[in-house]
């Protein structure tokens, strides 16, 4: 039976070529991983900033609607969010956590729950949310330092 050592039969030049090729492949793989992770972190940061800005502005614009109980005006404010391609849907909850106004979902998914359900930290987008394709951001709506409601934006 012949000894099976394929590297023993290859010339030193070819052995060096194999080692250099493998080293270059590993280096490219590491660089691809670093660039991909950097891009995901940058995407998370940009999406967080954009959704926070949109949510804060829409929340300020809906203050009067919340105070006066005008759900139609609140819904009109939410409709303006649809002009941003990042926003899939949004909702406003009143001070007591009851659904005040929401955007209808275009694909027929279930609407927002009638009562606000808080999870760990909805003020920060997580990498898991971004990777899943749906990110929820909840921000308080305040007037003179008092919390009068909550705005939730769902990014797609």
């Amino acid at each position: 039976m012949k000894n099976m050592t394929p590297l023993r039969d290859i010339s030193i030049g070819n052995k060096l070529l194999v080692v250099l090729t493998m080293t270059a492949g590993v280096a490219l793989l590491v660089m691809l991983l670093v660039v991909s992770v950097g891009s995901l972190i940058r995407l998370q940061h940009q999406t967080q900033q954009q959704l926070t800005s949109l949510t804060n502005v829409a929340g300020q614009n809906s203050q009067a609607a919340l105070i006066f109980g005008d759900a139609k005006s609140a819904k009109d404010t939410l409709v303006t969010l649809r002009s941003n391609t990042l926003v899939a849907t949004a909702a406003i909850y009143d001070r007591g956590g009851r659904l005040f106004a929401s955007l209808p979902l275009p694909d027929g998914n279930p609407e927002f729950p009638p009562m606000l359900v808080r999870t760990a930290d909805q003020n920060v987008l997580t990498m898991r949310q971004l990777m899943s394709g749906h990110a929820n951001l909840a921000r308080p709506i305040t007037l003179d330092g008092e919390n009068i409601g909550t705005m939730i934006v769902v990014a797609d």
Side-chain angles (χ1 to χ4, degrees), residues 62-96:
S62 63
Q63 288 173 341
L66 273 168
I67 291 170
F68 295 110
D70 186 0
K72 183 184 178 324
S73 292
K75 188 170 184 174
D76 291 343
T77 300
L78 292 176
V79 169
T80 63
L81 293 173
R82 279 267 166 87
S83 64
N84 188 308
T85 57
L86 184 63
V87 176
T89 189
I92 297 173
Y93 286 87
D94 65 12
R95 177 182 320 205

Side-chain angles (χ1 to χ4, degrees), residues 88-128:
T89 189
I92 297 173
Y93 286 87
D94 65 12
R95 177 182 320 205
R98 292 175 299 277
L99 183 62
F100 185 70
S102 66
L103 283 176
L105 294 167
D107 58 2
N109 282 340
E111 294 289 325
F112 286 94
M115 291 298 288
L116 181 62
V117 178
R118 283 263 180 211
T119 57
D121 188 2
Q122 290 180 310
N123 292 325
V124 178
L125 296 180
T126 64
M127 195 62 73
R128 180 183 301 161

